[in-house]
Amino acid sequence: MNRKLTPSISRVLGRAVAVTLGLSAVAVGWHQIGWVTPEGVAHAQYPSGSGGSGGSGGDMPSGFDPEAMAEGPDAPLSCAPIPPGGFAGVTNDRFYFLSEVGGCENLPCFLASVPGTVHANATLVIDELCVLDGPIRIPSRFTLAGVGPGGEGMLVFQDLPDNMPAISVEEAVGVGGISEIVIRDLGIFGDDNGAWSAGINVSGANLITLDRVRVSGFSVGLFGQDAYSVRVSDSTFYANAFNVMIYNNANHWRVRDSALSLATFYSVKVFGPSDGVRPGNNDHLFSGNRFEGSLMGAMMLGSVGTMLMNNRFESNGLNGVRILPSASDTRVVGNLFSTDTVHDSSASTKCGFNIGLPTGDCPGD
């Protein structure tokens, strides 16, 4: 429902992206300047003594259930069907605007009903501020677009329950099934209501493209399990509890030329056997990104073949990059470590050509 923004949502949209210098400055900025704590943090605390360079990858916030997060929303909505000839007034059935198909109040039902209609396999442009009380699911071979990540068209989600994604995508069905979903040029915001929810959940899908999106105010900005070939570029994930979380059985994620900052815990968490989940994640690339100002650290890595190339790391809490014992064949190459370090507990990490990394923190430097 489109309505006047609540004060909580207004704070999310107006939250400044600032980078403080050093862990003490981060803590002071977080608690004394009055930033809004990201969603999920109100009732989720790290176990006593966790979060440093030691310990296991199980140092996760209490109350967080990634298995439930991966399930996504319940059964599809019960909605009136789209008219056989489509909505009147739509001038192009393959590229149209939210205001032409019923506006914000009709968005969840429109997306649930559009497959198989004249409006399917198309691009829908969010051309208005849209405040929603529940989740939406994007069908396969569909593009959800905005008018620019800082433009007037944006999605704001409020009062989502625990483990509910704001946006989920249709799963790939059958052998060779593909999703082929694009989200671009769009701002996506949560309302800091204290629930464990995800901004975008790509679980079960493949060939997902996120381009020039801005995601903030959730416990997890981008979440995925059983998700393959997820591509993120030129996007901003900030002030989520975790900005990106690759949970299990996912491969070939590519995150390029994006800003991942101000996470309450780790900006990026890639699960592996050290976290107590079955092995399965492999082949993830983070290239040309900025990791700045996250409270616990920039990255926690536990899987196979994660590659960090040409990124900038600055003022990321206790850990910088934390490589767990279960991580294998991690590559840390050509990055700029302005203030951060690498805490490596793996026997197979290889590093080289990094700038500013203190000697001994990463084999090969």
Side-chain angles (χ1 to χ4, degrees):
M1 179 179 293
N2 199 345
R3 63 186 69 172
K4 184 176 179 180
L5 294 180
T6 65
S8 176
I9 298 174
S10 300
R11 289 198 301 270
V12 172
L13 300 186
R15 184 186 291 120
V17 179
V19 177
T20 54
L21 298 177
L23 176 60
S24 60
V26 170
V28 170
W30 205 280
H31 297 293
Q32 295 184 10
I33 296 177
W35 293 347
V36 178
T37 304
E39 178 178 336
V41 178
H43 68 281
Q45 303 295 326
Y46 261 77
S48 177
S50 69
S53 59
S56 72
D59 294 344
M60 292 295 294
S62 60
F64 176 57
D65 186 350
E67 290 286 353
M69 182 85 70
E71 292 180 3
D74 295 329
L77 299 169
S78 176
C79 300
I82 292 174
F87 281 88
V90 175
T91 57
N92 187 321
D93 287 330
R94 294 294 172 257
F95 189 95
Y96 45 87
F97 297 88
L98 179 61
S99 56
E100 296 177 323
V101 294
C104 183
E105 292 188 1
N106 193 46
L107 178 60
C109 274
F110 177 82
L111 292 175
S113 305
V114 73
T117 72
V118 297
H119 299 309
N121 306 337
T123 295
L124 172 63
V125 178
I126 306 298
D127 59 341
E128 60 186 68
L129 171 63
C130 184
V131 182
L132 297 160
D133 294 326
I136 61 174
R137 183 188 293 273
I138 305 176
S140 294
R141 297 178 176 84
F142 200 85
T143 294
L144 187 69
V147 296
E152 291 298 321
M154 64 182 68
L155 299 177
V156 179
F157 295 85
Q158 60 182 17
D159 299 327
L160 293 173
D162 264 340
N163 303 308
M164 178 66 70
I167 298 175
S168 60
V169 296
E170 185 175 349
E171 297 181 2
V173 179
V175 177
I178 58 176
S179 303
E180 286 190 333
I181 292 168
V182 176
I183 305 174
R184 62 172 174 84
D185 299 306
L186 184 62
I188 301 163
F189 301 95
D191 70 345
D192 294 304
N193 74 341
W196 279 109
S197 60
I200 303 173
N201 180 6
V202 297
S203 295
N206 57 31
L207 295 176
I208 304 299
T209 299
L210 308 180
D211 192 14
R212 299 185 301 275
V213 299
R214 186 180 182 191
V215 182
S216 182
F218 298 95
S219 53
V220 182
L222 171 62
F223 179 90
Q225 172 177 273
D226 304 311
Y228 311 105
S229 295
V230 177
R231 299 162 293 195
V232 180
S233 63
D234 299 298
S235 296
T236 303
F237 290 81
Y238 71 98
N240 302 288
F242 295 87
N243 286 320
V244 176
M245 181 177 287
I246 305 175
Y247 179 53
N248 194 34
N249 194 31
N251 59 44
H252 200 73
W253 286 41
R254 299 292 183 258
V255 181
R256 293 186 170 96
D257 300 319
S258 297
L260 301 105
S261 58
L262 296 179
T264 312
F265 296 110
Y266 284 89
S267 190
V268 172
K269 167 67 175 166
V270 182
F271 279 74
S274 293
D275 301 290
V277 300
R278 64 189 188 276
N281 291 326
N282 65 82
D283 181 25
H284 302 306
L285 170 67
F286 294 83
S287 175
N289 304 294
R290 285 175 28 231
F291 293 91
E292 298 176 335
S294 292
L295 194 60
M296 299 304 299
M299 308 185 82
M300 180 189 282
L301 309 175
S303 67
V304 179
T306 301
M307 294 164 279
L308 314 182
M309 303 175 64
N310 306 322
N311 303 288
R312 178 186 179 93
F313 295 88
E314 184 170 0
S315 300
N316 289 291
L318 298 175
N319 288 282
V321 178
R322 182 178 174 193
I323 303 173
L324 301 175
S326 66
S328 61
D329 297 311
T330 304
R331 298 294 182 261
V332 184
V333 180
N335 301 281
L336 172 59
F337 289 86
S338 178
T339 60
D340 295 355
T341 59
V342 175
H343 298 284
D344 182 20
S345 301
S346 172
S348 60
T349 303
K350 292 188 183 300
C351 299
F353 305 104
N354 296 294
I355 301 171
L357 187 64
T359 301
D361 280 343
C362 204
D365 274 11

